[in-house]
């Protein structure tokens, strides 16, 4: 398929479409038409996407959610972390929620559970095509010389129904930690903050019950979206989540505020913990 050229190895339809868009806008008008014909892409749809992107940028400006100095959607300050795959995954999860799917243990992606339905991936999905291309051999390595991926969570744009079958549209495979940190409401419930001793200081509670700190605990972001970790690890991750969301709200209120060295270090650590 033509889209395989743009899919890369990210297990992401979102990135596939972004690469198509970036390749399209770099071309002159006559080149754009040829590009769409060659790759079986709708020219009118691509032009509509360009218009919607510009409209969204203008709305963000009107709402003063962008720095006053920003004059273009291609401003470098708006794309400061565009080369950080963990940050991109975080944005996809936050923007897609509650459209998060998960697989059973073992990372099998034939059946994907969502909030209240079981769905599958369509053939054209980059995640399915790339996972299938690994085609395990006797040594546990795929046809492309890569280990078989273990996919646990998927962020998707929408559910599509064909007959009795449901399928996910525009899908990206994401790590469990990304879902824990960026899915769900901005504010955690008060009882969660109390249960995990999360306060404004974002520090571990040294006076907490030592037995509970070593026990495995269960945290339900939603009734259908549940995480199981050791108490101390969960506490640390939820404190990181609170700090991330606090920073997000702060920047929405003051988009002109310059990024501090502390913030740069904070985001570099955030990116590092995924690897």
């Amino acid at each position: 398929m033509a889209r395989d050229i743009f899919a890369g190895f990210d297990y992401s339809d979102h990135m596939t479409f972004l690469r198509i868009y970036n390749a399209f806008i770099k071309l002159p008008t006559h080149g754009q038409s040829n590009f769409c014909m060659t790759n079986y892409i709708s020219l009118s749809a691509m032009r509509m996407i360009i218009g919607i992107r510009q409209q969204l940028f203008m709305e963000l400006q009107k709402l003063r959610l962008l720095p006053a100095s920003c004059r273009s959607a291609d401003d470098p300050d708006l794309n400061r972390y565009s080369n950080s795959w963990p940050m991109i995954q975080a944005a996809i999860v936050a923007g897609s929620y509650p459209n998060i799917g998960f697989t059973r243990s073992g990372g099998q992606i034939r059946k994907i559970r969502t909030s209240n339905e079981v769905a599958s991936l369509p053939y054209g999905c980059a995640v399915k095509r790339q996972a299938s291309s690994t085609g395990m051999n006797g040594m546990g390595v795929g046809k492309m010389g890569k280990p078989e991926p273990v996919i646990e969570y998927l962020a998707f744009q929408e559910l599509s129904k064909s007959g009795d079958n449901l399928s996910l549209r525009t899908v990206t495979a994401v790590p469990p930690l990304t879902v824990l940190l960026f899915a769900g409401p901005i504010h955690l419930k008060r009882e969660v903050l109390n249960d995990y001793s999360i306060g404004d200081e974002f520090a571990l509670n040294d006076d907490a019950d030592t037995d509970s700190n070593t026990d495995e605990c269960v945290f339900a972001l939603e009734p259908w979206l549940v995480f199981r970790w050791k108490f101390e690890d969960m506490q640390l991750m939820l404190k990181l989540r609170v700090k991330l969301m606090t920073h997000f709200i702060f920047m929405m209120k003051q988009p002109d505020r310059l990024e501090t060295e502390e913030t740069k270090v904070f985001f570099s650590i955030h990116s590092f913990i995924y690897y």
Side-chain angles (χ1 to χ4, degrees):
M1 291 178 67
R3 71 168 60 189
D4 288 341
I5 300 171
F6 302 97
F9 299 100
D10 304 308
Y11 296 92
S12 173
D13 288 329
H14 294 86
M15 288 304 299
T16 301
F17 296 150
L18 182 59
R19 291 190 183 101
I20 291 172
Y21 172 84
N22 287 336
F24 178 83
I25 60 173
K26 291 177 182 178
L27 298 171
T29 303
H30 67 277
Q32 291 177 347
S33 179
N34 292 335
F35 174 85
C36 289
M37 290 180 62
T38 301
N39 294 290
Y40 305 99
I41 296 169
S42 169
L43 178 61
S44 60
M46 293 302 297
R47 289 175 175 169
M48 182 173 64
I49 290 169
I50 292 174
I52 292 173
R53 183 174 185 262
Q54 184 60 30
Q55 288 176 10
L56 288 172
F57 176 75
M58 293 171 64
E59 288 300 318
L60 290 172
Q61 279 187 315
K62 290 178 182 178
L63 294 170
R64 298 182 180 179
L65 293 175
L66 298 177
S69 60
C70 183
R71 294 288 181 267
S72 166
D74 297 315
D75 190 298
D77 281 343
L78 299 182
N79 296 280
R80 194 175 303 154
Y81 295 100
S82 61
N83 291 323
S84 171
W85 181 226
M87 296 291 282
I88 294 171
Q89 287 177 310
I92 291 172
V93 167
S96 299
Y97 189 81
N99 292 341
I100 303 294
F102 60 94
T103 64
R104 294 293 187 185
S105 58
Q108 298 295 321
I109 58 173
R110 287 188 292 274
K111 291 185 178 180
I112 301 158
R113 300 190 66 84
T114 63
S115 57
N116 53 14
E117 302 282 358
V118 176
S120 60
L121 297 178
Y123 176 73
C125 174
V127 177
K128 182 172 183 176
R129 293 174 66 81
Q130 290 174 19
S132 299
S133 70
T134 59
M136 299 299 289
N137 60 24
M139 299 178 64
V141 177
K143 298 173 184 176
M144 303 179 70
K146 295 178 178 291
E148 183 181 24
V150 177
I151 297 173
E152 297 181 70
Y153 290 88
L154 299 141
F156 62 94
Q157 200 69 27
E158 61 181 353
L159 278 170
S160 176
K161 188 168 186 178
S162 177
D164 295 329
N165 299 319
L166 281 173
S167 60
L168 309 184
R169 298 289 183 181
T170 313
V171 184
T172 292
V174 293
L177 185 56
T178 306
V179 179
L180 176 64
L181 292 178
F182 293 96
I186 290 179
H187 298 290
L188 293 175
K189 295 179 180 178
R190 173 54 58 183
E191 53 264 34
V192 173
L193 300 179
N194 292 336
D195 289 345
Y196 290 93
S197 304
I198 301 174
D200 294 336
E201 75 287 354
F202 303 111
L204 279 172
N205 182 3
D206 295 330
D207 297 327
D209 187 343
T210 55
D211 289 336
S212 65
N213 281 354
T214 58
D215 290 343
E216 192 175 68
C217 65
V218 175
F219 170 67
L221 193 58
E222 296 284 358
W224 53 274
L225 196 55
V226 178
F227 299 88
R228 187 184 300 273
W229 258 324
K230 288 185 178 179
F231 178 88
E232 188 174 280
D233 294 337
M234 185 71 77
Q235 184 185 42
L236 285 169
M237 291 302 100
L238 291 179
K239 287 186 176 186
L240 176 59
R241 176 191 169 96
V242 170
K243 191 162 188 176
L244 285 165
M245 295 305 173
T246 301
H247 177 75
F248 172 76
I249 294 172
F250 181 75
M251 291 306 298
M252 289 297 97
K253 292 179 178 179
Q254 301 185 43
D256 284 311
R257 181 181 173 86
L258 296 176
E259 188 177 46
T260 64
E261 287 301 319
E262 181 184 3
T263 303
K264 291 178 182 178
V265 172
F266 175 58
F267 281 123
S268 66
I269 293 173
H270 160 246
S271 297
F272 174 77
I273 62 177
Y274 287 89
Y275 294 106

